[in-house]
Amino acid sequence: MTTKLKEVDVVIVGMGWTGGIMAKELSDAGLTVVGLERGAPRSDAGFSVPMIRDELRYAVRNELFMDVSRDTLTFRNRPAERALPMRKLGSFLPGEGVGGAGVHWNGQTYRLSPHDHALRSRVEERYGKSFIPQDMQLADWPMSYAELEPFYDKFEYMAGISGKAGNIAGRIQEGGNPFEGPRAREYPNPPLKPSLASEMFTETTKKLGYHPFPRPAANMSRPYTNPDGIKLGECQYCGFCENFGCEANAKASPHITVIPAALRNRNFSLKPHAWVTRVNLAPDGKRATGVSYTSVLTGEEFEQPANLVILCAYGLGNVHLMLLSGIGKPYDPVSDTGTVGKGYCYQVATVVQAFFDDRIFNPFMGAGSLGVVIDDFNGDNFDHGPVGYIGGASIYSASLGGRPINQRAVPPGTPRWGTEWKKATAHWYNRTLQMSVQGSNMASRYNYLDLDPTYRNAFGLPLMRMTYNFTDNDEKLSAHLTTVAHDIARAMGPTHLGPRTPRRAPYSIVPYQSTHNTGGAIAGHDPGKSALNRYLQSWDVPNVFVMGASAFPHNSGYNPTGAVGALTYWAADAIRTKYLKDPGPLLHT
Amino acid sequence: MADIARRDLLTMAGVVGVGVAIPVAPATAEAAPKDKVQDGPAANASARCYQFFDLNEVAFIEAFVDHLIPADELSPSGTELGVTIYIDRQLAGAWGRGARMYLLGPWPAGTSQQGYQLPLAPADLYRSAIRAVEAHCEAVHGGSFDRLQPAQRQQIMLALSDGSLRLQQIPAQVFFDMAYANVMEGLFADPIYGGNKDKRGWRLVGFPGVMAAHAENIERFRGEPYLVEPLGIADLS
Ligand SMILES: Cc1cc2nc3c(=O)[nH]c(=O)nc-3n(C[C@H](O)[C@H](O)[C@H](O)COP(=O)(O)OP(=O)(O)OC[C@H]3O[C@@H](n4cnc5c(N)ncnc54)[C@H](O)[C@@H]3O)c2cc1C
Ligand code: SF4
C-alpha cells in the first residue's frame, strides 16, 4: 500500500517562506533535500493580467488560501465550551500551494524590538514582578535581538525590503524609526512613494510629537536584484496585493525568490500535491525516521525516510503535525504541564476611519505595505505604569487598495441600503482615510491548541482544536491604543470620524483580523516550559526542527514575517555550523 | 393559487413589459456616462434566465435585491444591473453547493463567535430561508414578499438584518448577512460574473477596474481625481 522512498538527508514539510529558505540554505550546504507541499505548483501565467485583478475570486472566495473542506480547525473561547469547526475561512487565512502565504501576503516586514526579545526581564525590571497578570505566561525569547540582527539583515536583503533605517549601528537616522534596534546597514531599497493618506498621517503625527516612518515593504520601490541573483520588478501600486499574487514580480515571495534559487541545486527536489499526515518516530520516540504523505492527486501513500525533518507548515500546521505525531508532550492548561500547543497567541487589531469632504485619496492606487507607521506606542517604547497593561501596537495609515467589494466605507449613521446608502457610498469611497492599530498579544494559560475529540479531516485525522479568548490585558491595550489612533484621526480634521471600537472579549473567529497566528511550539530556555530550544530544535526529538511563528513566546505589535525569516536563517545556520558536525541535541539540559 | 398567479405575472412581464419585477432605468446622462442599460424591459426580462431560482424565488430575490439597490438618479435597480443573475449563478455553481466549506457533522448550535454552523450549503440556505420568509409574509401580511408595501418590506428587511425576525428553523440574520454580502458582490464584482452591468457599480464609486499600473499615477494624481473609463476582465481578454 505505502511506497517507501529512498532516504534523503532532509525532508521539509511545507513550501512557504520558511520552507523555501530552508530548502535554499540546506541544499546549498550539499545535503539532499526534499520539499513536500500539500498545494499546487505555481505557473508563470498564474498571476497575469487581467485575470489576477479579480476581487471576487481572490479576495472574497479566497482562491489562494487553505481549502477548509479538507482540513480546518475547531474553535471555542473557553475550555468549558464545546469547540466547533471553522466551516469557512474568516479571522485568518492560512496559505496553500508553493510559496505558501508568502504568495499573497502584504509584505510589511519588521524586526521585533530588542525589548520583545527580552520581554519578561524587561517588564520585571521596569515595573516589578507584580505587574504581570496571574495567568500571563510571559517569557524571554531564548535569543537576543543582537544575535538575530545578521539574520534579519539577510532576510531583508534577500526580500529586497523598501524602507528607511532608523538606527544604523547606534546612530539615529532622520526619517526612520528611532525606537528600532541597531541595524548594520540601510534597507536594500528606498521607501515606496507616499500616498496622500501617508502624507497626512506623517504631518499630523509629527505635529503631535510622534515619530512617523514609512512601513518597511516587500513591495519593490525599484527594480532589484537580490544576493542570489534573483530579479524583482518595480511595484505598480496596483492595489491588488494582499490576497493576490503579484503580476509584476514586484512583491518578494518564496516562489519567485528562495524556491527557484534552491531549485538551481540538483540535490533539492520539490514535490507539490504532497500532504504530510505524520512525522514517523523510531520506537523509542526520540528520533524521527521521516514522514508519511499522501498524494492529493492520486491518493497514493508514501513514506519518505530522512535524517532530518523540518516542519515549515505554517505555525498552526506545525503544531497540528506535532500533536498528530506524538512529538513532545501536549500542553494541559489545568495542570500547566506539557509544551506542545502552549502559548498560542494572536493579535489585538482595530481599524479607525476618517472621512474628508474636501480630499481625494484614489484608494485604488496602493500597495500591500504602503503607508506610514508610528512606533511610539509599541513594545516598551512608552511608560506602561500608568496604563496598567503589557505590550503595545504599531499604529499606521494603510493605502492597500480600493477594491470595491471589500474596501468601501461610509460614515457612521449611514443606512445599510437604499438611495441614501448609495449616495454615501458614491461620495465617500474616494474620501476615506484608513488607519490600523496592530496590538501585541501575550500568552495566557487558557489560550492553547490541542486535538479535537470529535471532528476529523479528509485524511481521517483529528482536527486541531483552538481555545482562545482576549484577556483583560488585551482589552486595556485595545481601549488605550484605539483611542490614541482615534485622536490622531481627529487631529487631521476630518468631516466625519468613524466609531472608536476597541476589541473586547469574546474573540470571534468570523471577521478577518490578521493571519498572524503565533505560538503553540514555543522556543525557550527550559524544556519543561517550551517545545523548542533556541535553535528551534525540538527538545524531545532532536532531529526535528520547527520553523515559523509557532516558535514565538508572545506575539508582538508587528507583522511577524521579518522575525520568522530571521529565525529561519538563524536555525539554518545552526544546522549547518553546529548540528551537521555533531547531530543530536544542540543544547543539553 | 398565489404561486400560480405570480408565475403568470412574471411570464406576462417578459412578453408585454409590465410587472413589479421590471423597474425602469431612469439613469441620467450625468450619472451614466456610457449607459448601455437602456434596452426595453422585454429585452431585460429575456436576458434574465435563471439557473437556480424557481419562479417564486425569482419574485422574492428581485424584490429583495431591488429593495437594497433601488432604481434612482444614481443607478438602475439591482435587478437591472444583473445582481440577481449574479446571485443565481453563484448559487448554481460550486460556491452555492458548498465548495471550500467544511460541512461535516455533528452540527450543534454554537456561539456567534464560532461562526457559521448550519449543515447547509449556501444554495440550500437560500432555498429554505426564502421559503421561511415567504411563510412569514403570508402569515403576518397575507401576501408574498414582492407584493408588500415598501414600508412593510423595509420592516422585514430590518428585522432580518438584526435577527429579530423569528423564522422557522433558519436563523434570519445568518441568511441576511450572506444575501447582503452577495448583493454587494453582484454590484461590485467584475462584470464577467453577471452583475455590475456596464460597470455601473464601479462607475458609482469611481473605481477604474483592472488597469492598475499606478507607479506614476500615485504621484501625478495625488489628491486629484483620476477619471478614466473603467475596464473589466472581458475588455482586456
Ligand atoms: C492576506 C495575508 C497578508 C499577510 N501580510 C503579511 C504582512 O504584511 N507582513 C507579515 O509579516 N506577514 C504577513 N502575512 C503572514 C505571512 O504570510 C506568514 O507569516 C508567512 O507566510 C509564514 O511563513 P511560513 O513558512 O511559516 O508559512 P506559509 O508561508 O504559509 O507556508 C506554509 C506552507 O506549508 C504548507 N503545508 C501546511 N501543512 C502541510 C502539510 N501537512 N503537508 C504539506 N504541506 C503543508 C502550506 O500549504 C503552505 O504552503 C500575511 C498573511 C496573509 C494570509
Ligand atoms: S501593489 Fe505592487 S507588489 Fe503588490 S501586487 Fe501590485 S505591483 Fe505587486
Side-chain angles (χ1 to χ4, degrees):
Chain A
M1 264 297 289
T2 302
T3 308
K4 191 163 177 171
L5 301 166
K6 210 172 134 233
E7 185 174 73
V8 293
D9 295 325
V10 184
V11 65
I12 301 175
V13 182
M15 275 290 127
W17 264 133
T18 60
I21 291 170
M22 274 291 169
K24 164 78 168 61
E25 294 301 298
L26 300 184
S27 63
D28 276 357
L31 301 171
T32 51
V33 181
V34 169
L36 302 175
E37 165 56 48
R38 66 181 173 186
R42 304 275 169 218
S43 84
D44 290 348
F47 301 142
S48 35
V49 168
M51 271 87 91
I52 188 63
R53 305 267 159 82
D54 185 340
E55 182 183 12
L56 182 74
R57 177 174 172 186
Y58 293 103
V60 181
R61 301 285 179 251
N62 298 330
E63 177 151 318
L64 296 176
F65 306 125
M66 169 176 174
D67 177 353
V68 297
S69 72
R70 239 171 9 185
D71 189 42
T72 182
L73 45 75
T74 66
F75 164 72
R76 58 184 177 180
N77 284 123
R78 278 172 285 275
E81 288 173 7
R82 176 172 183 175
L84 297 178
M86 178 175 78
R87 296 186 181 279
K88 305 176 187 181
L89 288 173
S91 175
F92 45 87
L93 304 168
E96 185 169 302
V98 172
V103 169
H104 48 66
W105 71 323
N106 296 62
Q108 304 154 71
T109 309
Y110 289 96
R111 300 177 171 201
L112 304 196
S113 96
H115 308 151
D116 279 313
H117 285 273
L119 194 59
R120 186 173 189 103
S121 312
R122 170 86 186 188
V123 169
E124 286 186 356
E125 191 186 305
R126 189 165 174 189
Y127 309 105
K129 271 195 168 98
S130 62
F131 198 71
I132 303 171
Q134 201 191 352
D135 287 334
M136 188 183 284
Q137 296 168 325
L138 207 60
D140 285 348
W141 287 40
M143 67 296 284
S144 68
Y145 171 82
E147 283 175 306
L148 273 193
E149 200 287 329
F151 303 99
Y152 274 121
D153 179 90
K154 188 161 182 178
F155 184 71
E156 288 164 357
Y157 271 72
M158 179 276 295
I161 305 305
S162 307
K164 177 78 195 91
N167 179 343
I168 298 181
R171 284 186 307 279
I172 301 301
Q173 310 288 310
E174 180 67 28
N177 177 12
F179 299 103
E180 73 177 1
R183 53 175 70 239
R185 49 179 172 166
E186 190 40 278
Y187 282 101
N189 285 309
L192 294 167
K193 298 173 188 172
S195 63
L196 175 62
S198 308
E199 289 184 338
M200 289 168 63
F201 183 87
T202 303
E203 193 187 301
T204 304
T205 49
K206 267 190 189 159
K207 260 191 215 148
L208 293 170
Y210 305 141
H211 301 84
F213 63 100
R215 291 201 290 163
N219 320 113
M220 299 307 112
S221 56
R222 61 183 178 193
Y224 178 66
T225 304
N226 83 5
D228 300 320
I230 298 280
K231 291 189 184 331
L232 293 163
E234 182 184 353
C235 175
Q236 295 303 309
Y237 303 77
C238 75
F240 289 82
C241 199
E242 73 286 349
N243 303 337
F244 299 80
C246 178
E247 183 258 341
N249 272 7
K251 174 164 65 173
S253 300
H255 70 292
I256 55 169
T257 55
V258 283
I259 295 173
L263 283 167
R264 291 175 189 156
N265 295 324
R266 285 230 208 91
N267 45 332
F268 171 60
S269 57
L270 169 60
K271 293 189 186 170
H273 303 296
W275 191 300
V276 175
T277 49
R278 67 182 293 124
V279 178
N280 300 312
L281 301 185
D284 67 1
K286 295 202 167 104
R287 227 187 89 76
T289 57
V291 303
S292 293
Y293 71 91
T294 301
S295 161
V296 295
L297 290 183
T298 65
E300 282 171 287
E301 292 174 14
F302 297 91
E303 188 188 329
Q304 175 63 68
N307 286 322
L308 198 53
V309 175
I310 309 205
L311 299 183
C312 296
Y314 190 63
L316 295 170
N318 293 340
V319 178
H320 195 198
L321 277 171
M322 290 172 85
L323 291 165
L324 289 172
S325 311
I327 297 172
K329 192 173 165 217
Y331 172 67
D332 169 23
V334 177
S335 59
D336 197 4
T337 56
T339 56
V340 180
K342 179 181 174 177
Y344 172 72
C345 292
Y346 194 47
Q347 259 171 342
V348 189
T350 50
V351 166
V352 171
Q353 280 156 342
F355 302 86
F356 297 82
D357 226 345
D358 56 349
R359 300 284 188 157
I360 298 289
F361 290 105
N362 294 328
F364 39 82
M365 299 177 188
S369 314
L370 183 61
V372 176
V373 53
I374 58 166
D375 238 3
D376 299 69
F377 296 92
N378 212 347
D380 199 32
N381 300 340
F382 63 107
D383 183 5
H384 287 70
V387 294
Y389 65 82
I390 294 169
S394 44
I395 299 176
Y396 57 93
S397 84
S399 300
L400 311 177
R403 305 185 300 264
I405 302 174
N406 283 336
Q407 297 173 324
R408 213 176 356 95
V410 284
T414 307
R416 285 181 76 194
W417 58 76
T419 297
E420 287 311 307
W421 168 80
K422 229 193 271 178
K423 272 189 195 150
T425 301
H427 185 69
W428 295 110
Y429 165 79
N430 211 347
R431 295 178 172 82
T432 309
L433 179 145
Q434 177 147 317
M435 285 167 46
S436 295
V437 179
Q438 178 166 241
S440 63
N441 187 218
M442 302 301 143
S444 187
R445 183 164 176 177
Y446 296 99
N447 288 341
Y448 68 106
L449 306 167
D450 66 353
L451 291 179
D452 189 86
T454 308
Y455 294 94
R456 300 198 164 240
N457 68 13
F459 303 87
L461 301 167
L463 298 185
M464 190 157 69
R465 174 168 67 181
M466 173 185 289
T467 306
Y468 181 79
N469 210 350
F470 292 132
T471 62
D472 283 352
N473 191 74
D474 301 327
E475 292 192 345
K476 281 185 196 156
L477 179 153
S478 193
H480 175 219
L481 298 181
T482 306
T483 304
V484 169
H486 209 246
D487 290 346
I488 294 172
R490 180 177 293 113
M492 293 180 192
T495 317
H496 302 287
L497 195 52
R500 195 183 66 88
T501 44
R503 289 273 167 206
R504 295 213 172 85
Y507 162 73
S508 167
I509 202 156
V510 181
Y512 185 76
Q513 289 152 69
S514 99
T515 310
H516 301 162
N517 316 80
T518 69
I522 60 178
H525 289 299
D526 176 353
K529 292 188 173 167
S530 56
L532 313 178
N533 68 23
R534 72 192 220 109
Y535 299 112
L536 277 55
Q537 179 184 36
S538 161
W539 288 112
D540 301 277
V541 186
N543 65 335
V544 172
F545 286 73
V546 185
M547 299 302 114
S550 39
F552 289 13
H554 76 282
N555 203 358
S556 75
Y558 299 102
N559 307 66
T561 310
V564 166
L567 284 174
T568 310
Y569 279 119
W570 150 265
D573 181 69
I575 292 171
R576 287 171 61 154
T577 59
K578 298 188 172 69
Y579 181 88
L580 291 178
K581 283 187 193 137
D582 182 15
L586 291 173
L587 293 168
H588 293 279
T589 48
Chain B
M1 262 324 275
D3 283 356
I4 292 167
R6 209 178 315 152
R7 210 172 297 142
D8 288 344
L9 185 71
L10 271 156
T11 318
M12 242 166 55
V15 180
V16 298
V18 293
V20 283
I22 314 294
V24 289
T28 61
E30 195 185 70
K34 252 191 78 183
D35 197 349
K36 288 180 198 150
V37 197
Q38 289 187 350
D39 350 20
N44 274 321
S46 64
R48 285 207 297 282
C49 299
Y50 290 94
Q51 297 174 3
F52 172 78
F53 291 122
D54 68 24
L55 284 181
N56 297 331
E57 292 164 342
V58 165
F60 173 88
I61 200 68
E62 293 189 348
F64 182 94
V65 166
D66 291 350
H67 191 85
L68 297 181
I69 307 173
D72 53 27
E73 74 277 13
L74 287 164
S75 82
S77 74
T79 296
E80 278 234 314
L81 293 177
V83 174
T84 57
I85 291 294
Y86 164 81
I87 296 174
D88 180 76
R89 299 299 187 264
Q90 290 294 308
L91 293 173
W95 179 79
R97 306 298 175 181
R100 302 179 75 90
M101 281 177 81
Y102 184 88
L103 284 169
L104 301 180
W107 303 274
T111 62
S112 67
Q113 299 85 256
Q114 289 174 308
Y116 190 84
Q117 292 299 334
L118 302 176
L120 302 173
D124 304 318
L125 175 62
Y126 263 79
R127 192 136 272 164
S128 320
I130 293 174
R131 200 174 296 138
V133 177
E134 288 294 18
H136 171 87
C137 293
E138 290 290 346
V140 176
H141 302 287
S144 59
F145 182 77
D146 61 306
R147 300 278 181 85
L148 301 183
Q149 296 303 313
Q152 289 174 318
R153 207 176 296 142
Q154 173 72 357
Q155 201 190 328
I156 292 193
M157 296 296 266
L158 287 171
L160 280 171
S161 71
D162 66 15
S164 60
L165 191 70
R166 295 255 160 262
L167 294 178
Q168 243 181 341
Q169 293 183 316
I170 298 292
Q173 202 172 9
V174 173
F175 165 65
F176 183 86
D177 287 349
M178 185 185 282
Y180 182 87
N182 294 152
V183 171
M184 293 301 140
E185 291 156 20
L187 183 58
F188 293 117
D190 192 281
I192 58 170
Y193 293 98
N196 188 13
K197 211 168 186 184
D198 193 30
K199 294 156 223 150
R200 290 299 295 270
W202 291 355
R203 292 179 202 282
L204 180 73
V205 296
F207 176 65
V210 301
M211 284 304 285
H214 295 309
E216 286 174 12
N217 296 338
I218 189 152
E219 289 190 316
R220 193 175 325 145
F221 292 93
R222 188 180 291 130
E224 302 297 327
Y226 176 73
L227 302 171
V228 291
E229 176 68 19
L231 293 177
I233 291 173
D235 299 316
L236 294 188
S237 299

